[in-house]
Amino acid sequence: MKVLITDPIADAGIDRLREAGFTVETAYEADQETLQTAIRDAAGLVVRSGTEVTDELLSGAPALQIVGRAGIGVDNIDIDAATEHGVIVANAPEGNVRAAAEHTVAMTFATARSIPQAHARLKTGEWAKGDYVGTELNNKTLGIVGLGRVGQEVAKRLGSLGMELVAYDPYIGADRAEALGAELAELETVLDRADIATVHTPLTPETEGLIGAAELKRLDGGYLINCARGGVVEEDALASAVVDGTLEGAALDVFATEPLPEDSPLLGAENVVVTPHLGASTEAAQENVATSIADQIAAAVADEPVLNALNAPSIDASAFGRVEPYIELAETAGRIAMELFDAHIDTAHVEYAGEIADEEVDIVTASALKGMFRPLESQVNAVNAPGIAEERAIDVVESKATAAEDFQSLISVTLENGDGSVTVSGTQFAGNDPRIVRIDGYRVDAIPEGHMLVARNYDEPGVIGFIGTVLGEYDINIAGMFNGRETIGGEALTVYSLDSEPNGSIIETLEADERIISAQYLALTDE
């Protein structure tokens, strides 16, 4: 069988593939026509960031079983198209973690001590000793934006230098952060307190432009480091903040457009240190990601589990038909629960009751986690979601009960920490008709799709009419309404299915009424 490699990888990966019995063919910097010809009989494809894996390319590869990205980012791979073609997409997220963390540390020292600037002037013959007074890291506060794999490694390294650690990451458990010596806080608090802020989030719709001019002002007098993904930090705003003295300096290894354009304002800012995306550029890292992908290709072709598959859930074919209707329902329940909870999670409890409890439900539980972590990264799915939960020290508890009260089968997702919890329950009616039937014990009957408004209010006359009037004034049509209450005159919860998205002013207007406890908009659409 043939494996096609279209971007250079370490020789160790190529050797590993040949040892596994594959014929290896390379096509570096090939045009689209050449790639289309070369991939026709390939069982595996290895890429880095230079090759666009499109639906068109995949359509011409009937023998292809797996696309392996020798690295972590898969923005250049059409995962949906790969899934449609039955092609596994896998990456190597662990191989360059240490390298990226070490580069972050190096960039932190470089900007805090003005090393590149002093070096450049000395090379031209200037002994500018008096022009540079650096910042010591000891006893300073490090703000970590994103406490995933790389963020945790950076925390270990810089924490050992005597830095106080404060981190923003809504998807990590408090216990895990505490074990790293970090205090969890909201983004604004992290930037207010930090002397140096370092970014370690993926680039997703939620994180694009996460740190702009307003956020940089909170880091007044500090330093900003980004060795994660370009686009998370607004580059024009960052350059301005350094030039006008809002920040002492910055260091970046990644950019929204790569290679960095010659007219980028970052290049004209003296106290901005830049490197050409070198975070993973160590011999060890390149060797690690290459051999990792080689092993995963061998596993896929041998029909064995693929360690870092991004789109390949596994279940026995005979049971899939019985479980399949609950996969998307569990994902939606997890997504709703996460948006309603809106806090750090210690435990995620997925409970199965009734007939579904007799099935193998690992993939369903993973789908619930996928819904929870969906804002975290665009590539999260039923395969990698359990690993994300483990990384973030979130205990995942799965339980089963034989009885489901009024339902044939019931799935409940509960998210909790020491301060509170939220539970969302769903079922499937006949004919693949998914419904959310309980939220925090309130009985509802909501279709889990589109635009949803969840209102908690006091059970008083006129409240529902008031909500309907406000929505009408803003030209928001109600497609369905489902109300549940504890007792007459007590607290109630109402779910509104809407035809369009309510804006922030609507939420503010509703919550300004003393009868409304809270109003939350849930976007259950990818549009």
Side-chain angles (χ1 to χ4, degrees):
M1 290 187 175
K2 184 175 94 174
V3 173
L4 177 66
I5 303 175
T6 57
D7 297 308
I9 65 171
D11 290 341
I14 297 174
D15 293 342
R16 186 75 64 92
L17 288 168
R18 286 176 175 153
E19 290 168 3
F22 293 103
T23 299
V24 178
E25 181 179 318
T26 61
Y28 304 153
E29 299 183 2
D31 58 29
Q32 191 65 28
E33 184 178 351
T34 302
L35 284 180
Q36 210 71 62
T37 300
I39 203 173
R40 285 176 187 166
D41 58 345
L45 171 65
V46 179
V47 303
R48 294 182 67 190
S49 59
T51 301
E52 292 291 327
V53 182
T54 63
D55 180 57
E56 180 183 2
L57 187 65
L58 294 164
S59 297
L64 194 64
Q65 298 181 47
I66 181 171
V67 176
R69 165 64 161 98
I72 186 169
V74 289
D75 299 343
N76 56 314
I77 301 173
D78 189 333
I79 296 179
D80 290 338
T83 302
E84 289 178 8
H85 289 284
V87 176
I88 297 170
V89 177
N91 64 353
E94 301 290 349
N96 57 18
V97 168
R98 284 187 296 274
E102 289 183 6
H103 195 69
T104 300
V105 172
M107 293 288 269
T108 302
F109 276 111
T111 188
R113 298 303 297 268
S114 302
I115 293 172
Q117 298 92 327
H119 167 82
R121 292 180 66 179
L122 186 55
K123 281 284 190 176
T124 62
E126 290 187 71
W127 186 262
K129 180 178 180 180
D131 291 350
Y132 299 105
V133 178
T135 297
E136 292 186 17
L137 303 187
N138 183 49
N139 292 326
K140 297 299 190 298
T141 298
L142 178 70
I144 307 172
V145 182
L147 204 54
R149 284 183 291 262
V150 177
Q152 291 180 22
E153 291 298 318
V154 171
K156 293 174 186 176
R157 286 159 172 76
L158 291 180
S160 68
L161 297 178
M163 298 196 77
E164 178 184 355
L165 306 179
V166 57
Y168 167 70
D169 192 324
Y171 306 101
I172 194 167
D175 289 346
R176 179 58 179 163
E178 184 178 351
L180 293 163
E183 175 188 346
L184 287 179
E186 295 302 316
L187 178 60
E188 292 79 6
T189 302
V190 168
L191 295 174
D192 284 340
R193 291 175 53 184
D195 297 296
I196 297 173
T198 179
V199 177
H200 299 288
T201 72
L203 179 63
T204 69
E206 288 75 20
T207 63
E208 186 172 8
L210 180 67
I211 298 180
E215 289 74 23
L216 293 169
K217 285 181 181 178
R218 292 182 173 275
L219 191 60
D220 187 29
Y223 299 84
L224 189 285
I225 316 295
N226 184 14
C227 296
R229 282 288 182 268
V232 177
V233 178
E234 293 182 5
E235 294 171 6
D236 289 354
L238 178 61
S240 296
V242 174
V243 171
D244 67 21
T246 300
L247 298 186
E248 287 294 317
L252 297 94
D253 184 51
V254 291
F255 310 94
T257 300
E258 296 182 359
L260 185 63
E262 293 182 359
D263 61 352
S264 169
L266 295 171
L267 296 176
E270 181 181 355
N271 291 337
V272 175
V273 178
V274 290
T275 53
H277 207 146
L278 300 180
S281 296
T282 68
E283 290 184 8
Q286 295 305 305
E287 198 167 294
N288 289 340
V289 297
T291 55
S292 172
I293 283 300
D295 290 343
Q296 292 185 77
I297 287 176
V301 172
D303 200 25
E304 297 174 354
V306 177
L307 183 62
N308 294 310
L310 298 175
N311 65 337
S314 177
I315 189 172
D316 185 82
S318 63
F320 186 72
R322 298 190 299 273
V323 172
E324 183 180 15
Y326 295 93
I327 293 175
E328 186 173 354
L329 175 64
E331 179 181 340
T332 304
R335 186 173 178 178
I336 293 173
M338 172 64 87
E339 295 201 39
L340 290 176
F341 194 51
D342 192 27
H344 299 300
I345 304 166
D346 291 332
T347 304
H349 187 180
V350 185
E351 181 180 10
Y352 301 89
E355 292 183 359
I356 186 65
D358 294 329
E359 303 294 341
E360 174 57 53
V361 292
D362 287 351
I363 189 173
V364 185
T365 298
S367 295
L369 298 178
K370 173 187 175 183
M372 287 167 47
F373 296 129
R374 218 168 150 176
L376 176 62
E377 54 184 307
S378 57
Q379 287 81 33
V380 65
N381 62 20
V383 176
N384 59 17
I388 293 173
E390 183 177 357
E391 288 170 12
R392 297 170 189 282
I394 298 173
D395 291 331
V396 179
V397 180
E398 183 182 289
S399 64
K400 296 183 177 182
T402 55
E405 298 181 17
D406 301 331
F407 306 99
Q408 192 171 355
S409 291
L410 189 71
I411 296 176
S412 298
V413 178
T414 300
L415 307 182
E416 59 187 4
N417 59 25
D419 298 321
S421 67
V422 67
T423 300
V424 176
S425 302
T427 192
Q428 281 282 359
F429 292 150
N432 193 21
D433 184 11
R435 298 294 176 91
I436 298 301
V437 294
R438 286 193 197 124
I439 297 177
D440 274 350
Y442 293 98
R443 182 67 181 268
V444 296
D445 184 11
I447 300 172
E449 62 183 24
H451 306 281
M452 184 180 290
L453 178 71
V454 178
R456 297 176 187 265
N457 57 273
Y458 296 107
D459 183 40
E460 298 178 9
V463 177
I464 291 176
F466 166 71
I467 294 174
T469 298
V470 171
L471 291 170
E473 289 174 350
Y474 283 88
D475 202 28
I476 302 293
N477 192 51
I478 299 174
M481 185 192 77
F482 316 94
N483 177 255
R485 65 183 181 183
E486 292 177 336
T487 58
I488 297 176
E491 291 188 8
L493 182 145
T494 309
V495 177
Y496 299 85
S497 292
L498 308 176
D499 287 339
S500 55
E501 176 182 351
N503 61 36
S505 297
I506 295 176
I507 302 298
E508 290 177 5
T509 301
L510 293 175
E511 291 187 334
D513 190 286
E514 62 184 11
R515 297 169 298 176
I516 307 296
I517 300 168
S518 66
Q520 291 175 269
Y521 166 62
L522 308 180
L524 303 182
T525 175
D526 293 326
E527 295 180 0

